[in-house]
Amino acid sequence: MKTTKLILTLSITFYLILPNAFAQDYITWGLPEGAAARLGKGEITGNIAFSPDSTRLAVASSIGIWIYDTRVGEEKELDLFTGPTEDVEALAFSPDGSMLASGSRDSTIRLWDVVTGDQISMFEGQDEDITALAFSSDGNILASGNLSWFERKATVKLWNIQTKELIKTLLGHTNRISSVTFSPDGKTLASGSGDRTVRLWDIHTGTHKSTLEGHNRFISSVVYSPDGKTLTTVSSYDIVLQWDTNTGKSDTTLFKRIGNIDSLLYTPDGTTIVVPDLHKVKLLDLETGKRKAILTGHKDSITSLAISPDGNTLATADEKHIIMLWDLQTKKHRTTITGHTSRVTCLTYSPDGKTIASGSWFGQGYLWNSHTGQHKATLKEQDRYITSIIYSPDGSTIASSSWDNIVRLWEGRTRVFQTHTRKWKTVLFEHTEEILSLVYSPDSNTIASGDKEGTICLWNAHTGDKNATLIGHTDAVNSIAFSPDGVTLASASEDETVRLWDVQSQELIASPGGHPGGAASVTFSSDGSIIGSVGNNRIQLWDVRTQKIKTEINTPQSRITCILFSPNGAIIVTSSQDGKIELWSAHSGEHITSLNGHNNWVSEVAFSPDGSTIASGGYEGIILLWKLR
């Protein structure tokens, strides 16, 4: 059969957690091939860093490196450096500000021209995650922290910036290198590790000078004081210690067990130490240890800090990917950078196609205008991973499920302002395990939910009462789907089976197929005649009437996460853990095309009601809209 030819264009929508006053022209920067726009900025995956002239902030993300202008009154996006194929975890500006070094999980170190945004060079071939970077004070040496998962070893490496050659590999750490920093005189390198030690290295000889021990947990940050006399080390959920660099002894304990401290900084004048305390930032006098000020504004734990070299601006980033800029002279919040997001875990279109609802790794749901990308509302009540989010067919209600074993029902139609946060109106309690799948019946009267234990519950969508429990699966129910007439419910489970249930009698009708390694997703065609199911890299299409296989496709994708029929039944869309989206002919099983834009796990795909657009959500924190015409 002749395969349908498709012309694809791409646009992208995203999460806006707070109002964003920045310009929106960045949506066309650094796009993958075939893309028309980008509005999402991806997940913050590593550290943030100021340029030496204090005017630029670099942010490591899952889709590249974002450069922001941080001058007062001039705040805006300046550039996006793309090239790394996996999450950027480490950043460092050269002392003269001309270069930016980035380290990625793809085992590469890249040098960028800060003015042009061009990649200058790349160090590769290491087979190691790059976890930390630092330039020497003269700019001639780059130190990198490296972690080899395959060989289960951690190393520190010194690179010659001029020749791009490896100078020395420093061995001794036995766990992830979290931080590397040069002493102000450039003679010593300090490295902190998950092995709970700090090691000091002689830069000229590459020899190990001493080991500082005193922490009981993973060391997250190592910082020299501006005069080089003190080394401060931070251990998450443990303590902050100060060490005399001459004696190698710890003479001060600044904090004990105050929370998850990931970073700590000195102000450039050496008078103040800046430390995050959960969602607050404390400024402490270095001489007296007394508090100078507390900066409040974040609602979630702060994960990264950066101080501009002129000492005027502090940048803070939290676990929900909000970046705030603070004036250190007035101790007041200056502006907020938004658009960076956590993983997209699920998404769906409203019945009228005007809204996209999406769920995230950190438990927030978002409603977006599907045409403009504007944030319409936030569904904030869950504290854990949202596994499913769906609209009732009549559009009046949104249902969401999460790892807290609860189904929540939200108002689906009320018009709200951009900053509005909606509260759930009903909760459904019954599951004792994490809810993994959720679906409405076509008449909006019934909700079906499946959990990690293998239980399926049927609920009255109006009263919240449980109608029935379907027992039969012996492992997690990954996906459930109603037939278009609402008579049959299909379920796909980690127990490798696909099952069909009579909704009225709650009896098992058939178990037509199987997927070795687990069935990940199941769906009905629009006319209800075909069931599509996937598991690992296999697609199975079943005749509902005979329960026999019509078509079976073995795909080159890694484990498939989702399968979906187009509204007209002509196309099948699959997504996978390797970031690929594939289109197939529903009639012949012939491959039509691939959509390549995500660089990480694609959690879910959805068709707009008119079939003109495919939405896909990825673990790098963006939603892509693919236009079919």
Side-chain angles (χ1 to χ4, degrees), residues 53-119:
D53 65 3
S54 302
T55 65
R56 304 288 184 267
L57 181 72
V59 177
S61 85
S62 56
I63 59 172
I65 304 160
W66 288 93
I67 307 295
Y68 293 94
D69 189 331
T70 56
R71 292 175 296 169
V72 178
E74 301 292 333
E75 295 91 346
K76 60 179 177 294
E77 299 87 356
L78 287 177
D79 211 341
L80 171 63
F81 299 168
T82 59
T85 57
E86 292 190 48
D87 297 351
V88 176
E89 293 195 329
L91 295 174
F93 276 97
S94 61
D96 64 4
S98 64
M99 287 188 297
L100 178 69
S102 65
S104 172
R105 291 183 63 187
D106 66 3
S107 304
T108 65
I109 298 173
R110 299 168 192 256
L111 297 181
W112 308 84
D113 185 301
V114 173
V115 176
T116 66
D118 295 332
Q119 182 178 302

Side-chain angles (χ1 to χ4, degrees), residues 87-395:
D87 297 351
V88 176
E89 293 195 329
L91 295 174
F93 276 97
S94 61
D96 64 4
S98 64
M99 287 188 297
L100 178 69
S102 65
S104 172
R105 291 183 63 187
D106 66 3
S107 304
T108 65
I109 298 173
R110 299 168 192 256
L111 297 181
W112 308 84
D113 185 301
V114 173
V115 176
T116 66
D118 295 332
Q119 182 178 302
I120 301 170
S121 58
M122 179 169 64
F123 311 150
E124 56 183 336
Q126 303 173 78
D127 193 31
E128 298 171 318
D129 288 358
I130 311 301
T131 57
L133 290 172
F135 276 94
S136 61
S137 55
D138 61 10
N140 293 326
I141 299 174
L142 180 69
S144 64
N146 309 270
L147 175 64
S148 174
W149 293 105
F150 179 75
E151 298 181 8
R152 296 182 180 274
K153 70 175 183 180
T155 61
V156 177
K157 293 184 178 181
L158 302 179
W159 304 87
N160 186 306
I161 292 297
Q162 302 303 320
T163 66
K164 313 302 184 292
E165 294 178 348
L166 178 64
I167 301 172
K168 189 78 174 179
T169 298
L170 311 180
L171 302 174
H173 284 296
T174 59
N175 205 326
R176 178 187 176 95
I177 310 296
S178 58
S179 181
V180 289
T181 183
F182 284 91
S183 60
D185 63 10
K187 295 179 179 180
T188 304
L189 179 76
S191 56
S193 168
D195 63 14
R196 305 174 185 176
T197 69
V198 176
R199 290 178 177 258
L200 303 182
W201 312 86
D202 186 291
I203 295 303
H204 300 295
T205 64
T207 57
H208 173 240
K209 296 171 65 176
S210 61
T211 299
L212 308 182
E213 297 179 295
H215 287 284
N216 296 317
R217 302 202 180 192
F218 185 106
I219 293 174
S220 56
S221 183
V222 179
V223 184
Y224 273 100
S225 61
D227 60 10
K229 295 180 180 181
T230 304
L231 185 69
T232 303
T233 57
V234 181
S235 180
S236 295
Y237 286 103
D238 189 10
I239 55 179
V240 177
L241 298 177
Q242 287 189 306
W243 308 79
D244 186 302
T245 54
N246 292 320
T247 65
K249 294 182 179 180
S250 175
D251 56 7
T252 307
T253 300
L254 294 180
F255 297 103
K256 285 190 175 182
R257 296 177 177 85
I258 64 167
N260 187 16
I261 306 172
D262 287 311
S263 57
L264 175 148
L265 293 173
Y266 287 89
T267 54
D269 61 11
T271 63
T272 306
I273 195 165
V274 182
V275 61
D277 182 356
L278 298 178
H279 57 278
K280 303 175 184 177
V281 179
K282 292 182 176 180
L283 307 183
L284 304 175
D285 186 284
L286 198 59
E287 291 294 328
T288 66
K290 293 183 178 180
R291 188 177 67 202
K292 287 184 170 182
I294 295 181
L295 309 181
T296 60
H298 284 284
K299 295 182 179 179
D300 299 282
S301 295
I302 295 168
T303 58
S304 189
L305 301 171
I307 291 181
S308 59
D310 62 11
N312 293 328
T313 306
L314 171 70
T316 57
D318 66 27
E319 64 180 12
K320 295 292 179 67
H321 309 292
I322 297 296
I323 300 172
M324 289 188 174
L325 301 183
W326 309 83
D327 187 312
L328 285 180
Q329 307 307 312
T330 64
K331 311 297 189 297
K332 293 182 179 180
H333 170 252
R334 215 179 76 201
T335 191
T336 299
I337 298 173
T338 62
H340 292 282
T341 67
S342 60
R343 298 175 179 179
V344 178
T345 57
C346 51
L347 60 88
T348 187
Y349 271 92
S350 62
D352 61 10
K354 296 179 179 179
T355 304
I356 293 175
S358 59
S360 74
W361 181 267
F362 285 111
Q364 285 180 306
Y366 301 94
L367 306 183
W368 313 100
N369 184 303
S370 61
H371 303 296
T372 67
Q374 182 182 8
H375 173 242
K376 298 172 68 175
T378 298
L379 311 181
K380 173 58 179 170
E381 195 67 28
Q382 296 97 184
D383 293 322
R384 304 185 67 190
Y385 183 116
I386 296 179
T387 54
S388 296
I389 192 164
I390 57 174
Y391 268 91
S392 60
D394 62 10

Side-chain angles (χ1 to χ4, degrees), residues 476-515:
V477 178
N478 293 321
S479 176
I480 47 181
F482 276 100
S483 60
D485 59 11
V487 172
T488 306
L489 182 75
S491 57
S493 170
E494 204 64 30
D495 66 9
E496 303 185 349
T497 69
V498 174
R499 294 173 182 255
L500 302 182
W501 309 83
D502 185 290
V503 175
Q504 185 66 34
S505 67
Q506 291 94 48
E507 294 180 353
L508 179 66
I509 300 172
S511 184
H515 289 276

